[in-house]
Amino acid sequence: MNIKSANRIVALSSLSADIIAQLDQTKLVGISGSSLFKNDSRFQAIPKVSEGQSPPNLEKIVSLKPDLVIGAAGFSDPILQKLNQLQIPTVSTKINSWQSLEAFTKQIAQAMNVDSAPLLKRYQSLIASKNSRNLSTLVLVSRQPILTPNKNSWAGDLLTQFGAKNVAADLQGKSPIGGYVTLSAERILAANPDILIVVNAEPTLLDSLKKESFWNRLKATKNNQVYVFDYYGLVNPGSLEAIEKACSQLKDILTKQ
């Protein structure tokens, strides 16, 4: 990131907006609308350059006179390309591990000429004092197909941080979603995890999974070790508050008290 001084930043992802606000809120001049910030007073007066699933509005972004626009790799590529053509500096981020979260925070803090140490210390406090119970764990994020994160995803890396034995960590597949693999019922039964985590990306996912023939045959379901997590925090880091909540849940489940 060769940005010497970023004082007017537009953030096109909720996580980058949150990190910038934590570092120096006065330098955040535009954000993408997010349900995570609906009741967050920090973002109420900041102009929104997009809402819902609509793409960011190029004219709105340009009118804010940003000296840096931060987007998410893949999702923000088209708008970042247009901004580059207009000679507006951009950064594309991919936060799919704890290491990438820390690296991005250091980079953007340097560009903003602020100290990243307090925020990095806050990160470390979330994963400190781990005493893993070394439990085999499976995360399910959808039913058709059944998708689970391997080690190359934010969710997979987060499990690693808490010492979980992610049964899908080393699996590779042809899922269109990077860092995720598809599982068959047979493979789930063969893995037979101690802990089962269901992500509420689909509101009815848990109920629909309960109808699967493998469900009641698993160790986790027999021992009442099934937990529901929010999509934000575990699958999509989303915001620091969402990450903190996911870490707190994982600590409760996976570490000795």
Side-chain angles (χ1 to χ4, degrees):
M1 188 186 297
N2 299 314
I3 311 296
K4 291 182 180 178
S5 181
N7 295 304
R8 295 185 61 81
I9 305 172
V10 172
L12 301 181
S13 76
S14 56
L15 182 60
S16 59
D18 198 7
I19 290 171
I20 293 160
Q22 300 284 345
L23 292 169
D24 184 349
Q25 189 174 336
T26 65
K27 298 187 178 186
L28 186 62
V29 299
I31 61 172
S32 286
S34 171
S35 59
L36 290 169
F37 299 149
K38 201 172 291 183
N39 301 311
D40 194 324
S41 59
R42 295 176 300 160
F43 301 102
Q44 299 308 308
I46 298 176
K48 294 179 177 59
V49 298
S50 71
E51 284 289 357
Q53 299 299 314
S54 61
N57 185 300
L58 180 64
E59 289 73 20
K60 273 189 179 180
I61 295 173
V62 173
S63 71
L64 294 170
K65 297 182 170 60
D67 49 31
L68 181 61
V69 178
I70 300 173
F75 298 103
S76 308
D77 291 353
I79 192 75
L80 294 184
Q81 288 170 5
K82 292 176 182 176
L83 291 165
N84 287 334
Q85 291 168 4
L86 296 172
Q87 306 298 308
I88 295 174
T90 65
V91 169
S92 180
T93 65
K94 187 174 184 179
I95 309 298
N96 61 355
S97 68
W98 202 263
Q99 184 180 10
S100 61
L101 173 66
E102 292 182 332
F104 170 69
T105 301
K106 289 176 187 174
Q107 289 176 324
I108 192 62
Q110 187 175 10
M112 295 168 67
N113 196 28
V114 296
D115 185 12
S116 63
L119 196 49
L120 293 172
K121 188 176 179 182
R122 179 176 164 189
Y123 294 169
Q124 283 302 312
S125 72
L126 300 178
I127 56 173
S129 305
K130 299 190 295 290
N131 185 12
S132 174
R133 295 164 62 196
N134 205 30
L135 298 170
S136 61
T137 306
L138 178 64
V139 177
L140 299 177
V141 302
S142 68
R143 183 188 179 198
Q144 293 179 330
I146 296 174
L147 283 177
T148 188
N150 63 17
K151 63 184 177 184
N152 301 318
S153 63
W154 171 259
D157 188 72
L158 207 52
L159 292 178
T160 301
Q161 297 297 330
F162 283 89
K165 292 195 314 187
N166 178 9
V167 298
D170 297 313
L171 297 181
Q172 299 297 324
K174 296 179 180 178
S175 166
I177 305 172
Y180 284 78
V181 294
T182 56
L183 290 181
S184 63
E186 292 74 24
R187 209 157 193 179
I188 293 173
L189 283 167
N192 200 16
D194 297 307
I195 300 287
L196 199 54
I197 293 174
V198 177
V199 178
N200 66 359
E202 305 167 13
T204 60
L205 181 57
L206 180 59
D207 288 336
S208 61
L209 285 170
K210 286 179 179 178
K211 297 172 185 174
E212 294 283 354
S213 59
F214 64 78
W215 186 262
N216 291 322
R217 297 160 64 188
L218 297 174
K219 192 191 311 179
T221 53
K222 289 177 182 176
N223 295 332
N224 199 28
Q225 294 296 302
V226 179
Y227 301 90
V228 177
F229 275 61
D230 285 343
Y231 167 78
Y232 287 110
L234 186 63
V235 173
N236 179 338
S239 69
L240 298 188
E241 185 179 349
I243 293 171
E244 286 173 340
K245 182 180 176 183
C247 286
S248 178
Q249 284 182 280
L250 287 172
K251 188 174 181 180
D252 288 345
I253 296 166
L254 298 169
T255 62
K256 295 175 182 175
Q257 304 302 308

